Amino acid sequence: MLDLYPDLPRKQRETRILLDHAPAVFIIGIGWPLKDGYPHEMRAADYDDWATETIFKNGEQYHGLNGDILVWNPVTKRRHELTSMGIRVTKQTLKLQLKMSDQEDFLSLPYHRAIINDRIPLSIGGGIGQARTFMYLLRTAHLGEVTVSIWPKVLKDICAKKNIHLLE
């Protein structure tokens, strides 16, 4: 996407790829730096694995065992993230990703120590986000139209002006 749309910001690149090339895309390795030196998007260095080498294609090494499924949202007229998922970091990828993101001090925290010392199981996360899928299928503009929560007054006011009915 960066090659196709080098002058667009990340979210606009995602929207354009959906409009120009495919009704849905799966973006892998979110968090790994792209050719321009910046990641497509920041991802937690202590969660999904975005550093493991994966495929080698067109002379380029790809990275990451995580990804997002995006579709076009006809209501908001932009990209819609259905899911974010991935394989969790191992102790090796945790160390690498924390180093890359200048967060090595996290290695002293209990959660990070548990990964390093093999005290917790590693996992695969994600799946189809139910609320985001409901939004897509029901053609809503806001998560609050399909999910009950406590919404700040300022958000309620903005939504009311746009005829968006939040569930409370």
Side-chain angles (χ1 to χ4, degrees), residues 36-88:
D36 63 1
Y38 299 99
H40 176 72
E41 179 181 300
M42 293 304 299
R43 288 292 163 101
D46 54 3
Y47 194 60
D48 285 343
D49 178 335
W50 41 259
T52 294
E53 291 182 354
T54 53
I55 63 171
F56 192 79
K57 184 177 177 182
N58 299 325
E60 293 182 55
Q61 179 67 61
Y62 287 74
H63 296 83
L65 301 175
N66 71 325
D68 290 354
I69 297 174
L70 306 175
V71 295
W72 172 253
N73 185 324
V75 176
T76 61
K77 305 283 190 256
R78 63 183 204 90
R79 42 83 76 204
H80 181 80
E81 184 180 307
L82 280 183
T83 185
S84 177
M85 63 186 115
I87 295 174
R88 301 294 174 251

Side-chain angles (χ1 to χ4, degrees), residues 28 56 75 106-107 116 142 149 163:
I28 64 168
F56 192 79
V75 176
F106 284 20
L107 289 171
I116 296 297
H142 191 277
S149 188
N163 203 26

Side-chain angles (χ1 to χ4, degrees), residues 2 6 11 13 21-23 27 33 36 42 44-45 61 74 79 84 92 109 119 126 129 131 146 148 152 154 162 166:
L2 179 61
K11 297 280 188 187
R13 287 195 303 256
H21 296 279
I27 303 172
D36 63 1
M42 293 304 299
Q61 179 67 61
R79 42 83 76 204
S84 177
Q92 294 81 15
L109 299 173
R119 289 196 311 256
V146 297
V148 175
V154 66
K162 297 181 182 241
L166 300 178

